[in-house]
Each structure stands twice: as structure tokens, then as C-alpha cells.
Amino acid sequence: MEMARRIKFFDTTLRDGEQTPGVNLNLQEKLEIALALERLGVDYIEAGFAISSVGDFEAIQGIAKALKTTSVVSLSRALEKDIDRSWEAVKSAVSPRIHTFLATSDIHMKYKLKMTEQEVLENSAKAVAYAKKYTSDVQFSPEDASRTRPEFLYKVLEGVIKAGATCLNIPDTVGYSNPDEFSRLIKGIMENVSGIEKVDISVHCHNDLGLAVANSAAAAVAGASQIEGCINGLGERGGNAAIEELVMLFNTRRDYYDFEHNIDSTKINRTSKLVTSLTGVYLQPHKPIVGANAFAHESGIHQHGVMEERSTYEIMTPESVGLTSNRMVLGKLSGKHAFVQRLEELGVKLDTEDAINRAFGKFKALADRKKEVLDEDILALVDDNYDKIPKRFELVSFQISSGNRMINTATVQLKVEDEIITKAATGDGPIDASYKAISEICGYDIELKEYNIRAVTGGHDALGEVNVKMGIGGKVYLGRGISTDIIESSILACLSAVNRAS
Ligand code: KIV
Ligand code: ZN
């Protein structure tokens, strides 16, 4: 019997994913995502493009030091100064990898690089040989491979294998290929590149035509042993292949894809939520696997079918991606022990007594205001990322006077470093008025750039979660607030953005 083939997952959420317009993660946030990716079980984390900025460099370095099992990768152009910088950033990782790339398609060589084939051949091999002086693990990508003349591609790949590359990553840079074509490209490489059996073949597919996952899966069937992608399918333009979709495709269709991998699918939901909350890129409700409706059954016929037998309309269970349908049975009289146990069942481990006490305090406060506390409520409460921001400005109280035929007025009271300050302001609506009052207290010009509100669960007493993007001092800051009162959520969201900026 043939053994299942091992597919390695290479996550580039922090590099290609961070190239998503509007995404700008700080060091702490990148570290948080990297730790979640390690728990998810990805094999490689491309933590950034070291030479591109000091922020990227420091984040890669921090991640390289923090991760215990996962290999950390930095991207570099085929230039010595890029490779030097990448090595500086990844060298303390348990298994560091340098990733270098150079475009090989006629279009890119002629218009972007202004290089001849000969120059590209030489520079790619030279870059790999240079990186190899630092580490045994070097990945090379011929950018725009899917639009490269295959004969030339084979030559470049042969050259970099000779120079010591351990992984050849074949990008469909502009999402142009389709599954049959891409599969043939991988097979062509396997048949025509000498030395190919010694290295991993990887694929990196963009989703411009909605085929990134299909192309990646087809390549894996053809023989690729590594797949690159991003959580939630983030990335340039239409994004990259969504890792959670590939994992669930392989798991759900084991009859077709006989692959082994290291991903713990029950961590998918939490990882996706973390990435959503830190990037501020919200998902369409019908996004496969991790969208709000991915496991919802609306039509009566479907609901009836699922109640009789889940497999009628469910090809995978919500539990397999870490969703639970259990209701929190704890109420306001429940103790901390039971609360912590439920958190652990939900896959949340708070590392300090302080974090547990804070979460338990929030749970108690919520249980006072909300009859049924559901798992989603708890997960929203312990989404601790915003709690870690130092709170220079804290909400003490607010009062609103609002209506359709009156001047909307907000009085907001904040604690600012042991002093209580109260200001009142008027505005177009209660939220606008309260943001103006906050702006007066903080002394910042605050520009609301984006405002999103959602109910965490159903019901009249549901928690309302508000996410904002605020322009403060020429930069954009994300903020989030949750409460059963949506004005309070809005004020808390504004304050978390302001505290980030402070
Ligand atoms: O899309 C692409 O070609 C890339 C390379 C740098 C791998 O992101
Ligand atoms: Zn890319």
C-alpha cells in the first residue's frame, strides 16, 4: 500500500498577507499571530521581508526568537544586501530559512527587471549560493513562473538547485493559471529539471480569478510537497490561497487527497478570528470554512435534513474547525473554576492569573446584563488583544441625549492618569457627539475612517461588537469595543484606537 504523502504548509500571512491594502500590523500583533500559527501547526512562517522596513526586520527577529518548533522565513530579492538582512533577522530561529526570488517571465524581465535571460540565470544562482553561506535551508521563487517559458524556467530551476536551493517555490504571481495547466507545469518541472528529486516543490497561488485553492490542490496532486497561503486568504489584490480552505479540502476529501499534514484543524476558527481582529479585514459572511454563515442552515428543507441526519447538508462538522454549538450553562452564580474549564474546552488558554481574573470579571459583568452567556460571547470577551494596550484613557461614564428632532449631545467622563475629566459635545448623532467629546478630552484630532458593528450572537440582549479605523496624527489605528449597549461599544472602540495612538 502506498503511504500518504506529507504536505508542508508555508504561511505567508505576515508577509504577502500584510501586503493586503490597509493592513499594518505592529510587532506585538505579528508575534501574536505567529504564535497562533505555530499552535495551528504550520511548518513555515514567512514573517516578513526583512529589508523592507525596520518594523518588518524587528518583527521577524522577535518571531524567530519566540517560536519553538516552526521554521521562520524572511523574504529577500536576489540581492546580497537583502539576503544579509534576512539572515540577520532569522538567524536565531530553531530552523531559519532564507527565501530569495527573481522574476523569470518575459514580461517581468523586459519591463520590470530590464535584464536578459542570461542575467536572470546568473543572478538567481548567485543569490542562492550567497544565501547558502548562511544557512542550509534556502528557498528560491521564480516570480511569475506560470507566465514563464517552461524551457527557461527549467534552466533557472536547475541552476538554483546546483547552487544549493532546498525548496523551489513556483508562484502563480498574478493568479492567471488554472488547475489543469498548473498541474501540467508542476509535472513538467518534475520531468525536466535535473536534481528536482532532492528538493521540495512548493506552490504560491494568487486568487485573482478565484482559483488559488484549486490551483494549489491540483499542484499537490501533481507532486508539490509544500503549499504557501494565508489565513483568511489575505494577500495582494485578490489574495493568496486560503490555508484553512486547503486544510479542510484535504481533510474532508481524504478519499481523493491522500495527504498527511501537521495542521490541527480545530484551531482554525480561533486563528482566523485573531487575524480578522488584528488586521481589521472583515470576512464576507459566506466565506468558506470561517465565514459567519459557513455552517449556518437557513432554508427549512436544509434545517430539517440536518436535524434528521447532519451529513445530509454538512460535509464537515463545525467542531472540526473549532466551532462549538454548546451553550454556556454558567450563570452569574458560577465560579472561576468552571469558567476557566469552559475556556479551555473552547481552546483558550490564558497565561496569567491576571488575565484570568480580568476575563472572569468581564464574564460576571456580562452575566449581570445578559440572560444567556454563549460561547461566542466568551470568545469575544477574552479576545485579549485590545486589553494589552496600555490604557491611558479609560471610560468612567457617559450620558447621551439624542433624537431625530433635537441636537445630539454626549457627555463623556474619562479617567486620564488618575484625573477624571468630563466634556460635553454635540454632533450629527450620539456616536459623533461622543467621539467629539473624547477628542476634546484627549487633545487629538480624531477622524473616523471606518465603522463596523455586528451582533456577536442573536437575541435582544446580544453583545454588540464595534470595530473602527481611526485617523489620528496622520496614521490609522484599529479599535474594538464590546458591550450589550452599542453606544458604549462605540465609545470603547474609539478609546482603544486612541489608546493605541497614545
Ligand atoms: O506572488 C509572488 O510571486 C510572490 C513571490 C515573492 C513568492 O509573492
Ligand atoms: Zn505572492
Side-chain angles (χ1 to χ4, degrees):
M1 209 178 76
E2 250 188 56
M3 292 268 287
R5 217 152 37 80
R6 167 90 152 86
I7 299 291
K8 297 174 190 165
F9 277 98
F10 179 113
D11 182 279
T12 182
T13 307
L14 297 175
R15 200 277 297 168
D16 217 321
E18 223 226 354
Q19 290 170 222
T20 306
V23 173
N24 190 4
L25 299 164
N26 65 30
L27 195 149
Q28 182 54 38
E29 293 163 339
K30 286 187 181 172
L31 190 58
E32 195 113 18
I33 291 178
L35 290 167
L37 290 169
E38 183 167 63
R39 287 193 292 272
L40 179 69
V42 304
D43 300 279
Y44 298 89
I45 292 177
E46 187 161 58
F49 190 168
I51 203 161
S52 68
S53 69
V54 176
D56 250 40
F57 177 84
E58 286 173 352
I60 303 168
Q61 204 173 40
I63 290 168
K65 287 185 182 146
L67 296 190
K68 298 202 170 63
T69 52
T70 316
S71 179
V72 179
V73 187
S74 168
L75 184 67
S76 351
R77 288 166 300 179
L79 297 174
E80 291 188 357
K81 62 177 181 183
D82 282 39
I83 294 168
D84 292 339
R85 199 76 177 136
S86 275
W87 175 245
E88 235 357 81
V90 295
K91 68 181 181 195
S92 33
V94 274
S95 35
R97 171 180 278 190
I98 295 176
H99 179 190
T100 182
F101 73 101
L102 189 60
T104 50
S105 66
D106 287 344
I107 305 177
H108 278 236
M109 288 191 294
K110 180 168 173 201
Y111 296 107
K112 187 184 82 175
L113 298 176
K114 303 193 185 349
M115 277 187 185
T116 61
E117 285 196 351
Q118 192 53 33
E119 284 168 322
V120 167
L121 260 176
E122 281 167 18
N123 285 3
S124 48
K126 252 172 51 191
V128 169
Y130 187 75
K132 203 66 189 183
K133 287 202 273 191
Y134 286 127
T135 171
S136 59
D137 195 8
V138 177
Q139 171 170 321
F140 175 78
S141 297
E143 193 189 5
D144 207 16
S146 53
R147 294 192 300 168
T148 298
R149 275 189 314 101
E151 276 63 37
F152 179 57
L153 183 64
Y154 302 153
K155 267 203 211 164
V156 173
L157 296 179
E158 240 167 59
V160 296
I161 293 176
K162 283 204 188 100
T166 40
C167 177
L168 304 184
N169 177 46
I170 311 302
D172 182 23
T173 302
V174 289
Y176 184 73
S177 206
N178 65 58
D180 179 44
E181 232 177 352
F182 204 55
S183 158
R184 273 187 280 125
L185 177 65
I186 301 302
K187 284 187 183 142
I189 291 170
M190 290 168 74
E191 282 157 15
N192 293 288
V193 175
S194 71
I196 195 76
E197 65 294 340
K198 295 187 294 199
V199 301
D200 270 319
I201 302 181
S202 167
V203 289
H204 173 109
C205 297
H206 278 269
N207 202 31
D208 300 63
L209 294 171
L211 289 172
V213 167
N215 285 339
S216 309
V221 172
S225 48
Q226 175 180 295
I227 301 183
E228 299 199 0
C230 294
I231 299 298
N232 295 345
L234 291 181
E236 285 270 8
R237 306 180 311 279
N240 287 67
I243 288 198
E244 66 280 3
E245 293 178 26
L246 281 156
V247 169
M248 292 316 290
L249 171 63
F250 295 161
N251 286 3
T252 308
R253 294 300 311 276
R254 277 189 203 281
D255 57 319
Y256 188 87
Y257 298 100
D258 191 16
F259 298 142
E260 274 176 7
H261 59 73
N262 192 46
I263 305 285
D264 173 358
S265 72
T266 63
K267 303 261 167 35
I268 284 178
N269 181 50
R270 230 178 128 53
T271 314
S272 161
K273 289 244 162 56
L274 178 72
V275 170
T276 302
S277 117
L278 293 182
T279 57
V281 180
Y282 301 102
L283 302 178
Q284 68 207 44
H286 55 287
K287 161 84 177 65
I289 315 298
V290 286
N293 296 346
F295 292 91
H297 301 282
E298 179 71 19
S299 105
I301 295 175
H302 288 206
Q303 285 172 354
H304 175 73
V306 169
M307 268 149 58
E308 293 293 321
E309 164 57 45
R310 277 173 96 167
S311 63
T312 47
Y313 289 98
E314 258 182 26
I315 57 168
M316 52 198 160
T317 64
E319 289 79 8
S320 64
V321 299
L323 286 166
T324 82
S325 47
N326 287 345
R327 300 214 145 206
M328 174 75 177
V329 284
L330 307 180
K332 58 181 172 185
L333 299 176
S334 314
K336 195 159 81 177
H337 179 73
F339 175 69
V340 171
Q341 193 177 337
R342 186 71 198 121
L343 276 181
E344 281 176 10
E345 282 161 18
L346 290 169
V348 183
K349 200 149 179 45
L350 298 177
D351 359 300
T352 62
E353 199 52 33
D354 192 39
I356 293 173
N357 287 339
R358 244 185 0 243
F360 187 58
K362 287 199 258 176
F363 161 71
K364 282 291 203 186
L366 179 62
D368 269 341
R369 292 162 93 172
K370 191 172 187 290
K371 216 167 102 212
E372 268 184 323
V373 179
L374 306 181
D375 290 346
E376 293 94 319
D377 295 322
I378 299 175
L379 287 172
L381 284 182
V382 297
D383 187 347
D384 223 22
N385 306 307
Y386 287 95
D387 279 1
K388 293 189 184 129
I389 307 161
K391 288 190 183 50
R392 194 163 156 232
F393 302 101
E394 265 184 278
L395 177 66
V396 178
S397 68
F398 68 92
Q399 197 178 328
I400 302 288
S401 162
S402 113
N404 63 343
R405 283 171 189 265
M406 62 188 294
I407 295 172
N408 293 285
T409 313
T411 307
V412 177
Q413 197 168 58
L414 300 186
K415 184 163 163 249
V416 190
E417 290 157 10
D418 295 334
E419 201 188 337
I420 304 289
I421 306 181
T422 310
K423 292 275 179 198
T426 58
D428 292 338
I431 294 170
D432 185 44
S434 53
Y435 285 10
K436 284 190 174 131
I438 291 174
S439 161
E440 278 208 37
I441 298 176
C442 306
Y444 293 138
D445 272 339
I446 300 172
E447 189 197 346
L448 180 61
K449 289 189 170 293
E450 226 178 274
Y451 178 94
N452 286 293
I453 185 162
R454 75 172 186 110
V456 173
T457 57
H460 67 95
D461 57 358
L463 277 179
E465 176 180 323
V466 170
N467 287 280
V468 292
K469 284 188 187 164
M470 295 286 196
I472 304 171
K475 286 195 174 162
V476 176
Y477 296 90
L478 300 183
R480 189 188 76 130
I482 50 167
S483 166
T484 47
D485 174 331
I486 57 167
I487 304 281
E488 186 171 355
S489 311
S490 306
I491 291 175
L492 292 172
C494 175
L495 285 176
S496 73
V498 166
N499 279 325
R500 269 168 186 252
S502 302

